[in-house]
Amino acid sequence: MRIRSLLSLTALVISFAATVIAQQKDTADPQIVQQRDLLGDAKAVDAFGALGLKLDEAYNKNDAAAVAALFTEDGVLLAPDGMFSGRQDIEKRYADTFQRSPISDFNSRRERRYLNAIDNAVWSAGQWAATLRGQNGPEFAWGYWSAIYLREGDVWKIRMLSLIEHPAPRFETK
């Protein structure tokens, strides 16, 4: 009889403990960081707008060194023509690109859809547009970009930039 009572009491305690544990509210893991939307923060919008303006100016001058200087030393560029790592590799890629297809007008600030902080990093995404000097006259291109920024000292730098070019429309002739 005692064993049966002891087993019943043990089962009751276990079921009570399981119920209490199941009802506890989830608490945030201290290692999970919270994301903050910065689009409503005028200071943040201005700071990253200024960085975007520097990037646009470097593109419009076809200045590969100035573009690369906006990246962290170990920055990464993901572009339709490949993945480039480190400032030197990024600078070489842009020097080659600007030589093949010089840019006459570039705007990465056309539409910024996201600007969010996560811990000590910021990520952003938007749309870009460019006019290139083609062999047969101006060529228009546009696409989307996403970037991750980190601070180097007091300056925000690009840690990773992804560029996606929207495909040009294809016209069929009959």
Side-chain angles (χ1 to χ4, degrees):
M1 188 74 138
R2 284 186 171 173
I3 293 177
R4 187 180 289 169
S5 296
L6 188 57
L7 288 175
S8 296
L9 182 61
T10 303
L12 184 63
V13 169
I14 291 172
S15 66
F16 178 77
T19 304
V20 169
I21 290 170
Q23 290 178 353
Q24 286 183 343
K25 295 209 181 265
D26 291 336
T27 56
D29 183 343
Q31 294 184 359
I32 296 175
V33 295
Q34 297 298 313
Q35 179 170 278
R36 296 179 316 280
D37 183 355
L38 299 177
L39 279 177
D41 182 336
K43 189 175 178 181
V45 170
D46 289 347
F48 289 96
L51 181 58
L53 181 61
K54 287 179 186 177
L55 183 63
D56 290 355
E57 289 171 349
Y59 277 131
N60 289 327
K61 292 177 182 174
N62 293 281
D63 186 344
V67 172
L70 297 173
F71 281 79
T72 61
E73 190 63 42
D74 60 348
V76 175
L77 170 67
L78 301 172
D81 57 328
M83 182 167 42
F84 306 88
S85 181
R87 277 192 193 133
Q88 287 182 322
D89 198 24
I90 292 168
E91 182 176 349
K92 181 181 181 326
R93 184 271 182 182
Y94 276 108
D96 294 345
T97 299
F98 292 153
Q99 180 146 13
R100 277 192 325 272
S101 300
I103 293 175
S104 59
D105 184 42
F106 187 88
N107 184 350
S108 67
R109 295 164 293 117
R110 178 176 170 182
E111 184 178 344
R112 180 185 301 272
R113 294 190 182 175
Y114 303 96
L115 182 62
N116 294 279
I118 300 176
D119 200 20
N120 65 342
V122 171
W123 69 270
S124 188
Q127 186 176 356
W128 61 267
T131 304
L132 310 172
R133 292 185 293 237
Q135 292 177 345
N136 299 324
E139 296 176 12
F140 182 72
W142 69 277
Y144 301 98
W145 59 268
S146 64
I148 298 173
Y149 308 96
L150 295 177
R151 267 194 190 278
E152 278 191 353
D154 292 335
V155 179
W156 285 102
K157 297 277 186 167
I158 302 166
R159 172 64 175 98
M160 186 169 73
L161 177 63
S162 299
L163 300 172
I164 300 170
E165 187 173 348
H166 191 273
R170 295 178 188 240
F171 298 103
E172 290 185 30
T173 57
K174 291 185 179 185

